Amino acid sequence: MINLIRNLEETKKELEHSNKKYERLAKTLPAVLYEYVLFPTGKNLCIYVSPKCEEVLGLNQKLFLEDMNNFWNLIHKEDLPKIIKADKIANENNLNFFIEIRILFPITNEIRWLQLSSSPSEDFYENQRIWSGFILDITDKKRMEEQIFHYATIDSLTEIYNRRYFYEKLKKEIDHFIEHKKKFSILLLDLDRFKNINDKYGHIIGDEVLKHFVRETNKFLRPQDHFGRIGGEEFCILFSETTLNEARNISLNCRYIIENTPISTDLGDIYLTISGGLVEIDEHTLDVLPLIEKADKALYLAKDRGRNQIVAL
């Protein structure tokens, strides 16, 4: 009996030593380690979480273990449905779980990106499979991706789409029309006599004129529209799911406001006018270049007729 007690005590000490060693190792990892169970009722139970959760999630171990809702409440409302769905599918099919989500970090109220990954283990808790995984802070990685995307798609001067990315958007809209027959229109714009402005005032003020034009134009665009700079003073607007007549009304309003909203400079006010060629997608312009060429013909007519007008074909 004495030997049995001694053996139990030694076993207990070994387990405690093993757990402390495991905790020390867990603290050195850049991720949160966790184990949890998802019950058929939808309830989640966390049976282990490493101390790193306070640094990564702004949530201490006790709160995480007491109620997993303390973690779920941190998740960005737009990401919550997709993680619930993915978690349910993984559990029902014993599949590895991997997802990237955003949380609102409670200490600073900043948005952080997390990578969650877990796998089904061979162990069970109350007849339910235990899942083991980790949570990794990938905020820096995501910010770097956003910067790369920004530099690859955005015109550095005007902060709207560059030519390459705008054409990609246009190609997707054409594909959408082919599949769903949803009409759209494009407006090719050119700043009238912009070279004269550059020659008279210099390129620095010329750049300010371009930015002024973009700011004023953006005021009239809807969330579904796309605006791109495709040349020095040439721009294009994609009016998504918009007929020619609807796009004409927006375009004429924009032309009027640009004409009547001068930009103030140290050398005096500069009045700007625009000419535009407006076209609607049809069965003969099912590619980017034919559509742009048709809009360019309309733009040429606008300039040939005296500029400061919108011509629709």
Side-chain angles (χ1 to χ4, degrees), residues 13-27:
K13 288 180 180 178
E14 289 176 359
L15 285 173
E16 289 176 351
H17 177 73
S18 178
N19 287 337
K20 288 179 180 179
K21 182 178 180 181
Y22 184 75
E23 283 288 293
R24 286 198 303 272
L25 289 172
K27 287 179 181 179

Side-chain angles (χ1 to χ4, degrees), residues 190-193 255 259 273-276 298-311:
D190 193 270
L191 277 62
D192 295 331
R193 298 185 175 88
R255 186 209 61 79
E259 180 186 14
T273 62
I274 57 174
S275 299
L299 174 59
Y300 177 82
L301 288 174
K303 288 186 170 293
D304 193 51
R305 294 174 185 177
R307 297 183 174 85
N308 192 24
Q309 56 187 286
I310 305 295
V311 170

Side-chain angles (χ1 to χ4, degrees), residues 74-113:
L74 300 178
I75 299 174
H76 194 287
K77 63 180 181 180
E78 293 178 2
D79 294 345
L80 191 57
K82 72 177 184 180
I83 187 175
I84 292 175
K85 181 180 178 181
D87 194 26
K88 186 173 183 293
I89 292 173
N91 273 275
E92 289 176 349
N93 299 279
N94 283 334
L95 300 173
N96 290 338
F97 176 81
F98 179 90
I99 198 169
E100 294 180 351
I101 61 165
R102 293 162 292 174
I103 65 166
L104 184 63
F105 194 69
I107 298 174
T108 60
N109 285 328
E110 65 174 323
I111 296 293
R112 286 194 180 183
W113 277 94

Side-chain angles (χ1 to χ4, degrees), residues 119-215:
S119 303
S121 74
E122 298 302 318
D123 298 324
F124 288 79
Y125 179 89
E126 294 185 5
N127 297 321
Q128 300 300 319
R129 188 178 297 277
I130 295 174
W131 288 69
S132 303
F134 66 86
I135 301 172
L136 186 64
D137 187 335
I138 57 170
T139 305
D140 290 341
K141 170 178 171 286
K142 282 294 183 179
R143 286 174 180 166
M144 182 63 70
E145 289 175 356
E146 289 172 359
Q147 286 182 353
I148 293 172
F149 178 79
H150 182 87
Y151 292 139
T153 61
I154 302 299
D155 176 63
S156 59
L157 176 66
T158 60
E159 293 291 312
I160 59 176
Y161 293 144
N162 60 26
R163 177 192 182 103
R164 183 189 64 81
Y165 192 65
F166 181 83
Y167 279 7
E168 285 184 16
K169 287 286 187 181
L170 188 52
K171 180 64 170 65
K172 289 180 181 179
E173 196 75 12
I174 292 172
D175 293 341
H176 186 69
F177 167 75
I178 293 171
E179 184 176 356
H180 301 287
K181 302 304 177 186
K182 294 285 188 179
K183 290 276 191 178
F184 70 89
S185 303
I186 67 167
L187 175 66
L188 194 62
L189 287 168
D190 193 270
L191 277 62
D192 295 331
R193 298 185 175 88
F194 181 71
K195 184 178 182 301
N196 294 345
I197 294 174
N198 264 339
D199 291 344
K200 181 178 180 180
Y201 297 98
H203 290 283
I204 293 177
I205 289 183
D207 287 348
E208 292 303 315
V209 169
L210 291 175
K211 290 190 283 186
H212 166 79
F213 159 73
V214 168
R215 282 194 302 270

Side-chain angles (χ1 to χ4, degrees), residues 60-81:
N60 65 43
Q61 280 178 296
K62 183 180 179 182
L63 289 175
F64 201 116
L65 291 167
E66 283 180 351
D67 188 352
M68 278 196 72
N69 283 327
N70 290 320
F71 167 68
W72 292 103
N73 290 337
L74 300 178
I75 299 174
H76 194 287
K77 63 180 181 180
E78 293 178 2
D79 294 345
L80 191 57

